[in-house]
Amino acid sequence: MDRFSYLEKLRIRRLVIKVGTSSITSAAASDGIDAQMMASLVEEIASLRQQGIEVILVSSGAVGAGRRLIAESFQRPAPSNPGIVRRQALSAIGQSHLMARYGAAFQPAGIPVAQLLLTARDFRDRRAYLNIGHAIDELQSMGALPIVNENDTVSTDELQFGDNDMLSAAVAALFRADLLVILTSVEGFLLGQTRLPEITNFTAQVRAAAGGPEGPGRGGMETKLRAGELCLMAGAALAILPARAPRPLSALLQGQDIGTLVYGATPARLSARKRWLLFARTEGAVCIDAGAEQALRERGSSLLAAGVRRLRGRFLAGDLVEMESLSGAPLGRGIINYSYREVGAMLGLSGKEIQARGLLQRAGELIHRNNLILERRD
């Protein structure tokens, strides 16, 4: 199935748009906000909503806007590579201004805007995660446009998604979106100098071609590729589009050859709980052998202590942990029933050996199959 057939079959009803710092900000603007890009977003989003498509906007740019506003309008020093405390301050200054600009831009289209500032901690706690989903659904019922950004003002390293590419993928999973569109400063995913119209297989060549950041934001093509992987696992597709092309979203949906579409032949169907597992922050890792991986993938088994060879980090019972191969490759994640100390005493032991030593206190498995999710295998 080619990309155009896929999009026709997809019948999009829910869509998340992420606009990056390099696209929404402009060095030529006194307040740092690109008015032309904002007008383009209003036009595109209004058109999508008229077609009955529900939209969420994930917008970067608060730190860039705050830096420009302080430097140009108030003649205060604003370093181009600030530390986390200065980033928090610049975000606090720029975020309110960015939202005011969005509110004014969408007002003529009759679209009220709503601000949602999130951190990774909001996705760690399942109750908070579900409450965010309820708030988004209520905003949609009121005809408002949710505008999401990471809450840089309160985020520290341990509470950060890292960049808005990953945040937008998490929002797409929570929103049960059909498509995530990342608007960026490049033409799409490039393999050498050639744009790939579509990616359906994450080959070693594709992964090697994903480079570092391409603009003033924190995300690069590597994080966009990872966002695409997570979207596929959650049942959505990802489109990487050039933000400054004429009406890029409309062009994509009308079948034009623009950007790069990342999709799978068979969309995943995950429960809400497993979509949450994709993005909740992990507290450590269990490294498992090939036999355990085979049992997880081919037989749908739970993870047992016999297949675990070593641990990383200090996790507690009930924490979310990564599952890794012995070489460190990510295999999946799940909620573990024992602490790192308890698991450490069980490493490689069979069920009978664990019982004989009196180590089994609660569940018979380290991670139950209902509480784990596996990475896609190329």
Side-chain angles (χ1 to χ4, degrees):
M1 182 186 303
D2 62 30
R3 58 181 282 177
F4 308 116
S5 301
Y6 177 84
L7 286 171
E8 284 184 357
K9 184 180 178 181
L10 192 56
R11 296 183 180 177
I12 296 167
R13 290 293 175 265
R14 288 186 163 189
L15 188 149
V16 175
I17 301 169
K18 182 262 180 175
V19 59
T21 298
S22 59
S23 300
I24 198 62
T25 59
S26 169
S30 61
D31 64 352
I33 306 298
D34 189 322
Q36 185 175 354
M37 177 55 62
M38 194 164 279
S40 176
L41 284 171
V42 172
E43 182 182 14
E44 291 269 60
I45 291 172
S47 175
L48 291 168
R49 286 164 58 105
Q50 288 169 5
Q51 298 171 51
I53 299 174
E54 295 181 332
V55 181
I56 293 178
L57 177 63
V58 178
S59 177
S60 302
V63 174
R67 180 187 300 116
R68 189 72 177 174
L69 200 64
I70 281 292
E72 296 296 322
S73 299
F74 297 96
Q75 305 299 308
R76 307 286 173 82
S80 58
N81 293 303
I84 189 167
V85 175
R86 180 57 65 92
R87 280 186 60 85
Q88 290 171 329
L90 292 174
S91 176
I93 294 167
Q95 183 64 35
S96 59
H97 180 71
L98 181 63
M99 284 303 302
R101 289 290 305 272
Y102 273 126
F106 279 97
Q107 177 73 28
I111 301 175
V113 301
Q115 174 180 256
L116 285 84
L117 295 177
L118 306 176
T119 70
R121 178 166 52 190
D122 299 316
F123 282 74
R124 178 187 302 171
D125 180 86
R126 180 157 169 77
R127 182 175 296 179
Y129 174 85
L130 293 175
N131 285 338
I132 295 167
H134 296 326
I136 288 173
D137 288 342
E138 187 64 21
L139 288 168
Q140 294 287 347
S141 72
M142 297 170 63
L145 172 68
I147 300 181
V148 179
N149 195 1
E150 183 157 18
N151 194 346
D152 287 322
T153 301
V154 301
S155 287
T156 59
D157 286 342
E158 66 176 9
L159 297 181
Q160 288 181 335
F161 278 93
D163 61 76
N164 276 351
D165 293 334
M166 297 304 298
L167 173 60
S168 63
V171 170
L174 172 61
F175 188 46
R176 304 177 303 281
D178 304 299
L179 178 66
L180 167 62
V181 174
I182 294 182
L183 297 175
T184 187
S185 58
V186 295
E187 294 301 308
F189 190 95
L190 301 179
L191 192 60
Q193 300 299 314
T194 304
R195 173 180 60 88
L196 294 184
E198 59 187 47
I199 297 175
T200 58
N201 190 12
F202 295 91
T203 65
Q205 186 182 27
V206 167
R207 294 184 190 280
E214 76 277 359
R218 287 179 288 170
M221 203 52 73
E222 185 176 4
T223 62
K224 292 171 177 57
L225 197 67
R226 179 59 178 161
E229 287 185 290
L230 294 173
C231 281
L232 294 192
M233 293 171 67
L238 166 70
I240 303 169
L241 302 181
R244 302 189 188 281
R247 302 196 67 185
L249 280 85
S250 299
L252 175 75
L253 299 181
Q254 290 168 7
Q256 295 182 33
D257 183 11
I258 183 173
T260 299
L261 183 67
V262 182
Y263 67 98
T266 305
R269 291 290 181 264
L270 290 183
S271 66
R273 182 175 180 79
K274 293 210 171 185
R275 288 198 305 271
W276 168 68
L277 288 176
L278 280 175
F279 296 97
R281 189 178 181 89
T282 56
E283 299 298 332
V286 291
C287 302
I288 67 177
D289 61 27
E293 180 186 359
Q294 184 178 21
L296 293 174
R297 291 193 184 279
E298 298 180 7
R299 299 198 296 273
S301 301
S302 299
L303 179 65
L304 305 179
V308 180
R309 293 292 174 259
R310 60 177 182 269
L311 309 177
R312 176 170 58 78
R314 297 187 175 187
F315 49 82
L316 302 176
D319 280 346
L320 187 68
V321 299
E322 297 280 355
M323 293 181 290
E324 298 176 346
S325 70
L326 297 181
S327 65
L331 300 177
R333 45 182 37 209
I335 299 172
I336 197 153
N337 292 321
Y338 294 89
S339 72
Y340 76 98
R341 290 186 184 276
E342 294 170 312
V343 178
M346 303 181 201
L347 288 181
L349 299 181
S350 68
K352 289 183 179 180
E353 291 173 318
I354 291 171
Q355 287 181 336
R357 299 184 188 190
L359 298 175
L360 266 183
Q361 303 170 11
R362 294 180 291 280
E365 63 282 320
L366 297 188
I367 302 177
H368 192 276
R369 63 185 181 183
N370 291 340
N371 291 328
L372 64 82
I373 186 168
L374 298 175
E375 294 276 339
R376 286 169 56 94
R377 185 163 54 188
D378 292 340

